[in-house]
Amino acid sequence: MIDLHCHLLPGVDDGSKSMDISLKLANDAVRDGIDYALLTPHHMNGVYLNHKKAVIQQTQEFQMELDRHKIPLKVFPGQEVRINGDLLTALDQDDILFADEGGQYLMLEFPDDDIPNYTSNMIYELMQRGIIPVIVHPERNTKIMKQPDILYDLLNEGCLSQITASSYVGIFGHKVQKFSKQLIQAGQVYIFASDAHNLPNRKYEMRKAFHKLRREFGEDLTNELEENAKSIINGDFVLPHELQPIKSKKKRWGLFW
Ligand code: FE
């Protein structure tokens, strides 16, 4: 499996705190069936800056440690980029890492509880540059949970989306799990990723998530999500889904009941 979102680099963000922990997490990843991992430290989220050059260097060093410990994990440099007003400048300054080497797929994060009002314009600007944002863990964004049409519109504009495997298996509670399932059902999910941190309840759940997906949605969608991760890291085309809006809850005691 390919994991396109994890916080395995030691000492750079709220993920792994040390090389020992990173190696332990890498072992966990391999045990969960992951062969390739895009390392995506937070960037420009108001707390962490992980500049492109530094991440490339740190990823090379980490790969050397993995090889030295004979851990069969191949790692690539990436970033989880928070949407922010300086993003276009950062792109101009060549300080942004993509999921693919060709610079097409951008792992883009929103604040946990908000979608900034400039989002639509920013997405347009990114698209104009040939960039396809992959919106990470929309299932945990409280604003999208309340107004699922926000995500539906972004996907219709051409964005992709990544659900965190542990959300779908229920680690973040029933509401997030249920919403994850609704998004999958509506064609609004393109890939799973671990978003592994060294935190309690943030371990690898990829295998479990894919098993559950196979059971609930069948072989075709399961294969497709696995293939999509490969396409993204290779910079290949990802076939857009036929998207359905998420139906909002009907009022039981509405006017026409
Ligand atoms: Fe993350």
Side-chain angles (χ1 to χ4, degrees), residues 67-105:
D67 296 346
R68 209 162 66 82
H69 287 82
K70 305 216 173 349
I71 300 170
L73 184 70
K74 175 99 181 86
V75 291
F76 301 96
Q79 286 166 336
E80 175 178 10
V81 180
R82 175 74 62 93
I83 195 163
N84 70 84
D86 298 326
L87 181 51
L88 299 176
T89 311
L91 282 163
D92 290 339
Q93 292 171 346
D94 190 26
D95 193 27
I96 296 297
L97 280 160
F98 294 81
D100 60 309
E101 270 199 309
Q104 187 175 188
Y105 295 106

Side-chain angles (χ1 to χ4, degrees), residues 4-236:
L4 292 179
H5 182 169
C6 67
H7 298 266
L8 253 61
L9 272 185
V12 299
D13 67 357
D14 59 347
S16 167
K17 292 279 172 278
S18 68
M19 185 56 82
D20 280 354
I21 293 171
S22 294
L23 293 170
K24 181 200 155 288
L25 287 170
N27 265 318
D28 291 349
V30 169
R31 221 172 296 127
D32 200 37
I34 290 158
D35 314 280
Y36 301 95
L38 182 74
L39 308 181
T40 52
H42 290 287
H43 187 43
M44 304 180 91
N45 73 344
V47 183
Y48 299 108
L49 283 171
N50 278 292
H51 295 289
K52 177 175 171 175
K53 270 194 185 146
V55 176
I56 291 172
Q57 168 93 30
Q58 287 154 340
T59 302
Q60 280 168 355
E61 287 163 11
F62 185 41
Q63 184 69 66
M64 271 157 47
E65 282 300 299
L66 291 169
D67 296 346
R68 209 162 66 82
H69 287 82
K70 305 216 173 349
I71 300 170
L73 184 70
K74 175 99 181 86
V75 291
F76 301 96
Q79 286 166 336
E80 175 178 10
V81 180
R82 175 74 62 93
I83 195 163
N84 70 84
D86 298 326
L87 181 51
L88 299 176
T89 311
L91 282 163
D92 290 339
Q93 292 171 346
D94 190 26
D95 193 27
I96 296 297
L97 280 160
F98 294 81
D100 60 309
E101 270 199 309
Q104 187 175 188
Y105 295 106
L106 176 71
M107 304 304 284
L108 186 68
E109 180 196 42
F110 293 120
D112 292 343
D113 53 1
D114 194 20
I115 304 294
N117 49 22
Y118 59 82
T119 293
S120 194
N121 286 338
M122 178 67 77
I123 299 286
Y124 176 81
E125 293 288 341
L126 295 172
M127 296 269 184
Q128 287 290 96
R129 294 170 181 234
I131 295 167
I132 299 174
V134 179
I135 296 161
V136 304
H137 42 67
E139 80 284 2
R140 290 171 49 213
N141 178 290
T142 51
K143 192 153 178 188
I144 293 177
M145 290 174 88
K146 277 185 217 130
Q147 300 174 50
D149 275 352
I150 295 173
L151 180 67
Y152 178 66
D153 292 342
L154 290 171
L155 298 176
N156 270 319
E157 285 168 31
C159 293
L160 302 179
S161 60
Q162 170 254 305
I163 286 240
T164 299
S166 47
S167 296
Y168 180 48
V169 303
I171 304 296
F172 295 105
H174 177 67
K175 251 174 116 173
V176 170
Q177 183 179 30
K178 191 176 160 208
F179 189 46
S180 303
K181 193 171 170 180
Q182 281 180 309
L183 291 174
I184 296 168
Q185 207 143 24
Q188 295 190 32
V189 176
Y190 284 88
I191 52 165
F192 279 158
S194 74
D195 195 9
H197 288 66
N198 182 45
L199 294 167
N201 291 332
R202 297 295 289 272
K203 54 185 178 138
Y204 282 90
E205 302 282 2
M206 290 282 274
R207 201 191 293 269
K208 205 167 163 188
F210 274 110
H211 277 163
K212 186 173 154 69
L213 187 71
R214 190 169 282 114
R215 208 172 56 237
E216 292 184 336
F217 292 95
E219 197 69 30
D220 288 353
L221 187 68
T222 308
N223 292 341
E224 197 209 299
L225 260 61
E226 279 182 324
E227 281 301 312
N228 284 344
K230 204 184 287 175
S231 299
I232 288 173
I233 203 162
N234 284 330
D236 292 338

